[in-house]
């Protein structure tokens, strides 16, 4: 795919501010400009950004219904009621359940957790779960990372004598379900200052409030921050403000003293001894936690995350790793089949979105396939499969387009739906798939801007190799943790040449290991371009080209700089 590059150019005012901030902080103007673009214009603001403090976490009681939720939890514990912790089967739900269960278990024993079976119960709070809860004499259920649309289920729970506390972050309807408390910063009547918590984050805020109300020191919560960091990275929520604080200290916990279960995953995916970043969570740790829910039942992941025995944890982690390998095989097969369907669609290149379906696809993997097709074709994408009389689907979007709104526009034919701006799940009658496809396509066509379907990469600055050194690398690392809202700085350098030693590498000769020079520096710069071996012939011709890249630390030579090259433009 050919990407267009947009390189940021600072105006004169930003340049002046950047120069002043650069002098105060003793960093390059390249990086002080990035601070200003993040809304950080003062020395004190920069210090808070570089050293996030747990003391700056928001008072949890500013969230609507938090006082009600804590009072109900206190009553349940005081009356020795049986409590169930319920959550979704993805990373966010599993980490949220593990966090709440592990924290409360320290002080209260009459508690259990429940993760629904994706294939038997489907998404969210189920009647089967509530009937099981009633049979176990459960009278309070804490629902995590779902529940905001569970009107019918929560009404049924009330008939069973079960109270519900919802901890969710998905978009609510105009009316809320009849729960005892609904904790969701996206509520229109909630003035909580930060709107982008993940489900695990909302669960953490409930535990923070519970601890504060009961005089429990915050230090009892600190060991659970590793779960917050995993959830924030895997759920792709904004890594700003409160999420940045939680992710920063969660990564410190992972890299210094991870829980037994998290450490077992680290060992299983060969990350021991390496510094874990948000990237390792996204591509290594998160997919493994997701795998059991995609292939079998997500409860196994929670079993792992709450396990205290290292040997048992390692055995569970190995089982989950096998599920992940199975998931990758199915993912590859389904993506190839989906690509074939897209290729056969008439005039697909003129459409602004993709809606495809196959009744034999595994519903635990359709979200991954939708994400892959979005990346390949740069179109909002819906992938559906059959589940009895219904079709279940996952939608993914491109930057700037609200796919949740597009799905919501079809709500009169939807059985259920929910999600975020860029990711959404839905259920419809199988007989309505063609109608949904037509309606969804019409909405996208009417609301998407043509530029949103143009493959584009954004660069933060145009620099030369003489701007790159170990000091820059050190200062760049202080910008972490990276993610939405705080992306890793991306740079462009023009007029670079092969030093003569670049070569194709990889099991299938798919990558290029580069050694590059430019005309303004004597330094030979090392780089890696994953999946771009098609560019090797041009590079070896000794003609100049341009690169778009991030600056990384070489994991094999700590402290040394390596460029991770995202795209290459040949000079005409």
């Amino acid at each position: 795919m050919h990407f267009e590059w947009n390189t940021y150019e600072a105006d004169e005012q930003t340049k002046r501010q950047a120069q002043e901030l650069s002098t105060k902080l003793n960093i390059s103007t390249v990086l002080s400009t990035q601070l200003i673009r993040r809304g950080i214009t003062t020395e004190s603001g920069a210090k808070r950004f570089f050293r996030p403090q747990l003391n700056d976490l928001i008072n949890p009681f500013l969230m609507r219904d938090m006082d009600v939720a804590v009072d109900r939890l206190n009553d349940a514990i005081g009356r020795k009621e049986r409590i169930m912790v319920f959550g979704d089967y993805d990373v966010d739900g599993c980490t949220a359940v593990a966090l709440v269960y592990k924290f409360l278990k320290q002080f209260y024993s009459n508690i259990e957790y429940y993760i629904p079976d994706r294939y038997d119960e489907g998404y969210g709070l189920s009647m089967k779960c509530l009937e099981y809860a009633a049979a176990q004499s459960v009278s309070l259920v804490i629902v995590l990372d779902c529940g905001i649309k569970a009107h019918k289920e929560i009404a049924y729970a009330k008939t069973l004598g079960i109270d519900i506390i919802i901890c969710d972050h998905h978009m609510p309807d105009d009316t809320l379900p009849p729960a005892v408390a609904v904790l969701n910063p996206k509520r229109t009547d909630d003035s909580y200052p930060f709107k982008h918590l993940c489900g695990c984050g909302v669960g953490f805020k409930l535990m923070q409030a519970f601890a504060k109300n009961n005089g429990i020191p915050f230090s009892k919560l600190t060991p659970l921050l590793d779960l917050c960091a995993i959830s924030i990275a895997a759920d792709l929520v904004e890594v700003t403000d409160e999420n940045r604080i939680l992710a920063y200290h969660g990564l410190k916990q992972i890299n210094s003293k991870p829980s037994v279960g998290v450490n077992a995953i680290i060992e299983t995916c060969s990350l021991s001894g390496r510094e874990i970043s948000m990237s390792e969570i996204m591509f290594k740790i998160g997919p493994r936690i997701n795998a059991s829910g995609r292939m079998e039942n997500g409860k196994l992941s929670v079993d792992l995350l709450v396990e205290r025995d290292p040997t048992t944890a390692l055995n569970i982690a190995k089982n989950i790793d096998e599920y992940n390998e199975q998931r990758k095989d199915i993912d590859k097969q389904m993506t190839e089949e989906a690509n074939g369907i897209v290729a056969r669609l008439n005039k697909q290149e003129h459409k602004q979105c993709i809606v495809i379906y196959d009744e034999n696809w595994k519903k635990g993997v359709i979200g991954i396939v939708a994400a892959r097709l979005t990346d390949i074709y740069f179109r909002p994408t819906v992938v559906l499969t059959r589940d009895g009389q219904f079709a279940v689907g996952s939608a993914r979007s491109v930057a700037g387009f609200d796919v949740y709104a597009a799905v919501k526009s079809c709500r009169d034919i939807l059985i259920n739906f929910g999600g975020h701006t860029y990711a959404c799940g839905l259920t419809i009658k199988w007989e309505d798939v063609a109608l949904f496809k037509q309606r969804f396509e019409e909405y996208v066509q009417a609301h998407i801007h043509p530029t949103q379907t143009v493959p584009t990469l954004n660069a933060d600055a145009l620099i030369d190799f003489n701007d790159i050194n170990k000091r820059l690398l050190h200062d760049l690392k202080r910008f972490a943790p990276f993610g939405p809202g705080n992306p890793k700085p991306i740079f462009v350098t023009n007029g670079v040449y092969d030093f003569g030693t670049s070569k194709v590498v990889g099991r299938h000769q798919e990558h290029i290991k580069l050694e590059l020079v430019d005309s303004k520096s004597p330094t030979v710069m090392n780089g890696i371009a994953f999946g771009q071996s098609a560019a090797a012939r041009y590079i070896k011709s000794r003609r100049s080209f341009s690169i778009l890249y991030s600056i990384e630390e070489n994991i094999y030579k700590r402290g040394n700089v390596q460029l991770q090259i995202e795209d290459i433009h040949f000079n005409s």
Side-chain angles (χ1 to χ4, degrees):
M1 180 181 291
H2 177 77
F3 289 92
E4 293 186 4
W5 297 357
N6 289 331
T7 304
Y8 173 75
E9 293 185 13
D11 58 28
E12 291 304 316
Q13 181 182 354
T14 301
K15 288 177 181 177
R16 286 194 300 271
Q17 286 181 308
Q19 187 59 60
E20 293 173 6
L21 201 56
S22 171
T23 302
K24 290 176 181 176
L25 298 173
N26 192 27
I27 63 174
S28 74
T29 55
V30 171
L31 297 187
S32 61
T33 301
Q34 302 315 309
L35 287 174
I36 291 168
R37 294 186 68 195
R38 287 161 170 76
I40 301 162
T41 58
T42 64
E43 184 178 3
S44 60
K47 288 179 178 177
R48 284 196 302 274
F49 178 78
F50 287 138
R51 293 191 292 274
Q53 300 296 312
L54 289 169
N55 289 337
D56 289 332
L57 288 173
I58 300 167
N59 178 357
F61 285 100
L62 293 179
M63 190 177 295
R64 194 169 183 88
D65 277 6
M66 186 63 79
D67 53 344
V68 179
V70 171
D71 286 346
R72 182 63 186 90
L73 182 54
N74 283 336
D75 288 345
I77 292 173
R79 294 196 291 253
K80 296 183 171 53
E81 298 176 43
R82 185 147 185 84
I83 299 171
M84 174 186 285
V85 184
F86 176 98
D88 188 20
Y89 35 62
D90 68 0
V91 177
D92 194 12
C94 289
T95 52
V97 168
L99 186 150
V100 171
Y101 176 83
K102 286 174 74 173
F103 185 71
L104 291 178
K105 188 71 173 176
Q106 298 175 81
F107 315 105
Y108 188 66
S109 60
N110 195 14
I111 185 170
E112 64 177 297
Y113 57 86
Y114 189 106
I115 301 292
D117 186 297
R118 183 193 296 260
Y119 297 95
D120 181 38
E121 298 169 75
Y123 172 79
L125 193 60
S126 68
M127 300 298 189
K128 179 179 178 180
C129 166
L130 293 172
E131 288 164 1
Y132 168 82
Q136 298 299 310
S137 300
V138 169
S139 54
L140 176 64
V141 179
I142 301 172
V143 177
L144 295 146
D145 191 36
C146 56
I148 199 64
K149 293 178 180 288
H151 297 265
K152 181 174 64 175
E153 290 80 5
I154 292 173
Y156 180 60
K158 291 179 73 173
T159 69
L160 298 174
I162 298 172
D163 285 339
I164 307 288
I165 295 173
I166 295 173
C167 299
D168 204 353
H169 69 126
H170 297 96
M171 294 298 295
D173 282 331
D174 295 334
T175 57
L176 299 174
V180 168
V182 179
L183 307 179
N184 187 332
K186 291 190 176 77
R187 284 178 58 166
T188 56
D189 59 349
D190 195 326
S191 58
Y192 191 77
F194 185 65
K195 302 297 183 183
H196 303 291
L197 291 170
C198 56
C200 186
V202 179
F204 176 85
K205 298 306 293 187
L206 175 59
M207 294 301 95
Q208 184 189 2
F210 174 81
K212 188 173 185 177
N213 182 262
N214 287 279
I216 300 168
F218 187 88
S219 58
K220 291 284 189 180
L221 282 163
T222 306
L224 302 170
L225 290 172
D226 57 354
L227 297 171
C228 285
I230 290 170
S231 182
I232 289 166
D235 217 50
L236 295 175
V237 291
E238 287 197 6
V239 188
T240 57
D241 300 320
E242 192 159 42
N243 278 345
R244 180 174 171 78
I245 297 171
L246 294 171
Y248 179 88
H249 289 277
L251 285 172
K252 285 180 67 175
Q253 187 71 26
I254 290 173
N255 284 296
S256 60
K257 196 175 180 181
S259 67
V260 170
V262 172
N263 191 60
I265 302 174
I266 290 171
E267 286 188 36
T268 303
C269 52
S270 304
L271 291 175
S272 298
R274 286 176 53 179
E275 183 177 1
I276 308 295
S277 69
M278 300 292 268
S279 180
E280 278 75 33
I281 294 173
M282 286 175 61
F283 296 109
K284 298 282 188 179
I285 295 173
R288 284 167 170 81
I289 295 174
N290 253 336
S292 64
R294 292 189 186 282
M295 303 305 296
E296 292 292 337
N297 189 301
K299 183 178 182 294
L300 189 61
S301 289
V302 181
D303 293 342
L304 171 60
L305 294 173
V306 303
E307 181 57 54
R308 299 168 67 180
D309 176 66
T311 302
T312 303
L314 192 57
N315 287 334
I316 299 173
K318 288 177 179 177
N319 287 340
I320 287 176
D321 195 56
E322 291 178 9
Y323 286 139
N324 192 49
E325 291 302 312
Q326 295 172 24
R327 186 273 306 168
K328 286 194 286 188
D329 289 342
I330 293 172
D331 165 13
K332 181 180 178 182
Q333 177 187 339
M334 284 173 53
T335 301
E336 289 174 354
E337 292 174 1
N339 266 320
I341 293 172
V342 174
R344 291 192 297 272
L345 292 176
N346 292 330
K347 300 180 180 178
Q348 179 61 52
E349 66 273 15
H350 300 300
K351 292 195 175 183
Q352 302 299 320
C353 64
I354 295 170
V355 181
I356 58 173
Y357 46 92
D358 187 300
E359 62 181 47
N360 297 313
W361 283 340
K362 194 173 182 70
K363 67 178 180 179
V365 185
I366 56 175
I368 300 175
V369 176
R372 294 202 192 287
L373 293 179
T374 302
D375 290 341
I376 293 169
Y377 297 100
F378 225 71
R379 301 283 191 276
T381 299
V382 181
V383 177
L384 298 132
T385 188
R386 188 162 190 163
D387 185 13
Q389 297 179 350
F390 302 103
V392 293
S394 279
R396 296 295 184 271
S397 193
V398 294
F401 182 76
D402 188 346
V403 76
Y404 177 86
V407 171
K408 186 178 179 180
S409 72
C410 307
R411 68 180 307 161
D412 58 303
I413 59 170
L414 300 177
I415 305 299
N416 196 10
F417 75 102
H420 316 278
T421 302
Y422 295 117
C424 188
L426 62 134
T427 303
I428 56 177
K429 293 179 181 178
W430 182 256
E431 63 202 52
D432 288 336
V433 167
L435 177 59
F436 170 80
K437 175 180 167 67
Q438 175 191 337
R439 294 263 302 275
F440 184 85
E441 288 177 347
E442 288 172 352
Y443 181 94
V444 175
Q445 188 74 33
H447 291 84
I448 201 165
H449 192 276
T451 59
Q452 292 173 331
T453 59
V454 175
T456 304
L457 294 172
N458 296 316
D460 296 288
L462 177 66
I463 64 174
D464 301 313
F465 284 170
N466 59 13
D467 295 313
I468 304 173
N469 51 42
K470 291 183 179 181
R471 176 61 188 275
L472 181 71
L473 174 64
H474 172 269
D475 290 339
L476 269 172
K477 290 173 71 175
R478 298 168 68 193
F479 277 70
F482 298 114
N486 183 44
K488 185 176 294 184
I490 300 293
F491 305 101
V492 166
T493 299
N494 295 323
V496 304
Y497 298 85
D498 176 27
F499 183 62
T501 48
S502 298
K503 59 184 178 181
V504 174
V505 296
R507 181 182 300 177
H508 303 292
Q509 300 286 284
E510 67 269 43
H511 316 307
I512 315 174
K513 188 176 184 300
L514 295 154
E515 291 188 339
L516 304 172
V517 292
D518 70 2
S519 59
K520 299 182 180 179
S521 170
T523 304
V524 178
M525 197 64 64
N526 292 311
I528 183 74
F530 292 111
Q532 298 185 62
S533 59
R537 179 174 295 181
Y538 183 98
I539 290 168
K540 297 300 287 183
S541 73
R542 304 301 296 273
R543 287 177 284 177
S544 71
F545 53 96
S546 300
I547 54 174
L548 181 144
Y549 58 91
S550 60
I551 299 171
E552 313 287 346
E553 181 176 42
N554 190 317
I555 61 172
Y556 302 108
K557 297 179 181 178
R558 296 296 291 272
N560 284 9
V561 176
Q562 176 175 278
L563 310 183
Q564 183 164 314
I565 295 163
E566 305 295 336
D567 198 28
I568 299 169
H569 276 188
F570 305 136
N571 294 336
S572 55

